[in-house]
Amino acid sequence: ASALHYLHREDVVHLDVKPSNIIMGAPPRLIDLSIARPVEVAARLDYTVGTDRYLAPEQADPPRSGVPGPPADVFGLGATLFEAHAGYRPFEDGVTDPEAPVERRWPQLLDDPRPLPESTPDELAKPLLACLDRVPDNRPTAAELAEAFEPLLAGLPKPVLGGFRPGRR
């Protein structure tokens, strides 16, 4: 979320936020800016750009479903985090036939996300589901999302400094 916040402040949209474009480490890194565009250029897209399973509705079917911009990246991050938490993607896979109606190719155009596991705390569920709202203006900004996740991150166990060393007692 922080990386997206930075890109959006620079008027750049990533347009392909998905698990394989996030490198987990300390800190995590968002990679592959190969289809990133300035916000004003992304707003003029009239064709699909990105990876089907993580596309915001406005990316899947522009301009009919909206204008691709920073909220599309938040949708992709929400779909990625949903999958990381739940172990399954928020939407069924669409059909791959390019002649199929757009709603069959991208279920996220009409379908609500699948339910999260019952054990999901509200502090996680609410921002995740807000990211997946079909209406771009209803999604949080990347900065708001980072802020919403701060208390959850602060509550995680801290790593042991120095780590495990064999033979150490």
Side-chain angles (χ1 to χ4, degrees):
S2 296
L4 289 178
H5 174 58
Y6 174 80
L7 286 175
H8 297 164
R9 278 192 19 230
E10 297 297 316
D11 288 326
V12 173
V13 187
H14 188 280
L15 296 173
D16 202 22
V17 179
K18 60 184 177 180
S20 63
N21 282 342
I22 298 174
I23 302 299
M24 294 306 297
R29 290 176 177 83
L30 181 63
I31 63 168
D32 191 359
L33 297 167
S34 62
I35 63 170
R37 302 219 178 6
V39 170
E40 66 182 47
V41 173
R44 294 192 305 265
L45 286 172
D46 60 358
Y47 56 91
T48 304
V49 173
T51 302
D52 287 358
R53 295 174 172 164
Y54 305 95
L55 290 177
E58 64 273 19
Q59 265 181 279
D61 189 27
R64 189 176 76 157
S65 294
V67 176
D73 286 345
V74 170
F75 188 98
L77 181 59
T80 297
L81 294 173
F82 184 110
E83 182 176 351
H85 171 70
Y88 49 87
R89 287 184 296 281
F91 302 96
E92 296 284 342
D93 286 348
V95 300
T96 57
D97 176 5
E99 300 301 317
V102 293
E103 295 81 9
R104 292 201 47 234
R105 293 186 65 200
W106 299 290
Q108 60 268 46
L109 288 169
L110 297 177
D111 295 348
D112 290 330
R114 295 174 178 165
L116 285 161
E118 288 184 28
S119 62
T120 306
D122 281 348
E123 299 84 16
L124 178 59
K126 287 180 181 179
L128 271 186
L129 295 175
C131 290
L132 300 174
D133 196 297
R134 280 190 293 276
V135 178
D137 288 342
N138 291 347
R139 295 182 207 135
T141 65
E144 292 167 341
L145 193 57
E147 188 176 305
F149 286 144
E150 272 306 313
L152 291 170
L153 294 172
L156 292 175
K158 304 296 179 238
V160 176
L161 295 176
F164 173 75
R165 292 188 198 140
R168 190 172 159 198
R169 295 179 188 207

